[in-house]
Amino acid sequence: MTEISRIVIIGGGQAALQLAVSLRAKRFAGSVTLIGDEAYLPYMRPPLSKGFLKGHTQAQDLAFRPAAFYVEEDISLALCKRATFVDRVAKSVVLTSGEMIPYDVLVFATGARVRRLQCSGSDLDGVMYLRNLDDACALHEKLRDADKIIVIGGGFIGLEVAAIAAKDGKKVKVLEASDRLMGRAVSRDISEWFLTLHKQHGVDIELGSGIKEIRGQNGRVSTVRLVTGSEWEADAIAVGIGVIPNSDIASDCGLIVNDGIVVNENPQTSDPNIYAIGDCARFPCALNNELTRLESVQNAVDQAKLLADSIVDGRRPYKCVPWFWTEQYDVKFQMAGLSSGHDEKRIVGDLSSSAFSIEYAKAGRLIAVDSINRPADHLRARRKLADELIASSRSQFSSA
């Protein structure tokens, strides 16, 4: 690899921070610059919909590292700045201010932004989203003062918000457009288990619910009207209907983009001097042999570590087991692997209890394990799936 003296990272989240830390840990001696459009030091985002929203975690506790760390490690932070264009010929990043930051290696760690409602009234006061610290602060304040809360979207974020509001004694209704909860991420068994869990805590859930419009009074939300004609009163609305990868700049400079920035297993884009990691990257997943985009801390951290290794020590492919988690009420749900496309399942424990696991297989091979309040099962599953990936890699190498 050509000598690298300047690495620029667009993004200030988990993947960006991990890459900078890992580069210094690997004794990379060149300059490292993080460009972030928020005013805060890089901070943890998963607690925003968990401990922070509950009031158990304070904003100052979210920062990955104190300000002094970046000085000591010689990591330059360009905060409150937004990259607008990448000049691939001049190898520089252009900021809104007009400033140009040169690079030898550029890394997109731009994450994703919330998908917004596209209906009348979606801009009313009281319609809230949750993606960053400012969102979480605003949502925490609105939930505190509201009595009737509608959550639009039955994914992880929406259900975590619903659980927190319900435990706080609020009247909560969840509206989900599809026919089951967390449908993009979990099996039908898990969807139905969480449906029962939320109903047991007093949450009203309506599936197959399309939003027609949001109505308000004096500029504030008052009701949500469904395509069926039914209406529901609301003091606050929390929207969690998915995210969109931040890949616009990558597309504008001519990189290959397809619901994320397309990278190889290194994870290199169509430009050999540019990489993409974390939520914004679509990469060849060794577990399912498909181009995949994952929104998880694990993926952000592991891809960042691998890229640091590749830059300093030479390339190696990304072969890691995806894992995820969510906390709702007193339940910790952990997933290892990707269960989509399974043709066989085995339940470990009692599906009607508060602690069990489900193992998923495809063509006789274990591909994922979902665990409800069984952390030991989750850890075993991650080890087993990792061992199978290693064995598969060795097999492919020996047959090549």
Side-chain angles (χ1 to χ4, degrees):
M1 180 179 289
T2 305
E3 183 178 351
I4 298 169
S5 61
R6 300 169 299 185
I7 296 178
V8 175
I9 307 165
I10 305 178
Q14 183 95 51
L17 182 278
Q18 184 63 61
L19 176 57
V21 170
S22 296
L23 284 168
R24 290 304 188 223
K26 298 288 292 183
R27 300 290 189 267
F28 175 73
S31 67
V32 177
T33 302
L34 269 67
I35 303 171
D37 57 8
E38 293 187 69
Y40 313 106
L41 294 173
Y43 61 89
M44 296 176 279
R45 295 178 189 267
L48 296 180
S49 60
K50 301 174 178 68
F52 183 83
L53 211 55
K54 294 176 184 177
H56 299 166
T57 304
Q58 303 304 310
Q60 60 268 26
D61 300 325
L62 295 174
F64 287 113
R65 303 294 177 98
F69 169 82
Y70 300 94
V71 177
E72 294 167 358
E73 294 296 321
D74 193 22
I75 297 171
S76 299
L77 295 179
L79 302 180
C80 290
K81 296 190 177 181
R82 185 183 297 274
T84 60
F85 185 72
V86 172
D87 186 333
R88 291 168 52 192
V89 176
K91 296 178 70 174
S92 63
V93 179
V94 183
L95 306 183
T96 50
S97 63
E99 179 184 358
M100 300 181 70
I101 301 179
Y103 67 83
D104 296 313
V105 164
L106 175 64
V107 182
F108 281 94
T110 45
R113 60 189 182 275
V114 293
R115 188 180 300 278
R116 295 188 172 269
L117 285 175
Q118 302 295 318
C119 68
S120 174
S122 59
D123 57 347
L124 286 167
D125 182 25
V127 178
M128 314 294 294
Y129 297 85
L130 179 55
R131 188 64 182 175
N132 57 37
L133 182 53
D134 288 339
D135 293 339
C137 290
L139 182 58
H140 182 267
E141 183 178 337
K142 293 289 185 184
L143 293 183
R144 181 192 60 200
D145 298 334
D147 294 317
K148 298 176 182 177
I149 297 165
I150 287 182
V151 176
I152 299 178
F156 286 176
I157 295 295
L159 294 181
E160 287 174 0
V161 172
I164 290 169
K167 288 198 72 172
D168 202 29
K170 312 293 184 178
K171 183 178 180 180
V172 182
K173 184 174 185 66
V174 175
L175 302 174
E176 166 55 42
S178 72
D179 64 348
R180 62 189 180 94
L181 299 177
M182 300 182 290
R184 289 193 311 117
V186 304
S187 68
R188 192 166 292 275
D189 287 319
I190 296 296
S191 293
E192 292 175 355
W193 192 90
F194 273 95
L195 177 67
T196 300
L197 175 70
H198 280 271
K199 287 184 175 180
Q200 288 173 343
H201 283 84
V203 176
D204 185 13
I205 296 180
E206 189 166 336
L207 301 174
S209 302
I211 309 298
K212 183 175 180 60
E213 65 176 333
I214 298 173
R215 295 177 175 175
Q217 293 181 350
N218 301 319
R220 287 185 55 82
V221 299
S222 59
T223 58
V224 175
R225 188 182 184 199
L226 306 184
V227 292
T228 59
S230 61
E231 294 187 1
W232 301 94
E233 294 183 353
D235 301 318
I237 299 173
V239 183
I241 55 174
V243 299
I244 300 169
N246 290 321
S247 56
D248 296 351
I249 303 175
S251 178
D252 289 344
C253 73
L255 300 180
I256 298 175
V257 170
N258 178 18
D259 185 34
I261 304 168
V262 177
V263 298
N264 61 22
E265 59 185 4
N266 291 118
Q268 188 179 51
T269 70
S270 49
D271 184 319
N273 300 306
I274 303 178
Y275 299 79
I277 56 177
D279 293 8
C280 70
R282 178 168 290 276
F283 66 96
C285 180
L287 200 64
N288 60 13
N289 295 315
E290 297 176 1
L291 278 177
T292 304
R293 190 175 64 80
L294 297 177
E295 300 156 16
S296 73
V297 169
Q298 166 273 321
N299 184 59
V301 170
D302 286 346
Q303 282 189 333
K305 289 181 177 179
L306 173 132
L307 181 52
D309 286 347
S310 296
I311 290 172
V312 177
D313 297 329
R315 295 178 182 174
R316 64 182 179 85
Y318 180 63
K319 295 183 181 295
C320 295
V321 175
W323 56 267
F324 317 80
W325 85 95
T326 179
E327 295 174 356
Q328 299 171 34
Y329 307 106
D330 298 322
V331 171
K332 186 160 189 177
F333 171 48
Q334 297 167 290
M335 304 182 298
L338 301 170
S339 64
S340 176
H342 71 273
D343 53 29
E344 184 182 354
K345 68 180 181 183
R346 184 174 79 92
I347 297 171
V348 181
D350 185 356
L351 199 61
S352 63
S353 71
S354 60
F356 64 88
S357 291
I358 303 179
E359 299 177 348
Y360 305 94
K362 183 176 182 179
R365 182 174 68 89
L366 181 72
I367 59 172
V369 178
D370 290 342
S371 300
I372 299 279
N373 291 330
R374 292 183 68 145
D377 286 4
H378 174 70
L379 292 175
R380 279 195 294 270
R382 282 166 53 181
R383 287 194 295 267
K384 186 171 182 179
L385 288 167
D387 289 344
E388 290 193 3
L389 268 184
I390 293 171
S392 174
S393 298
R394 287 172 177 167
S395 176
Q396 292 173 7
F397 179 79
S398 62
S399 62

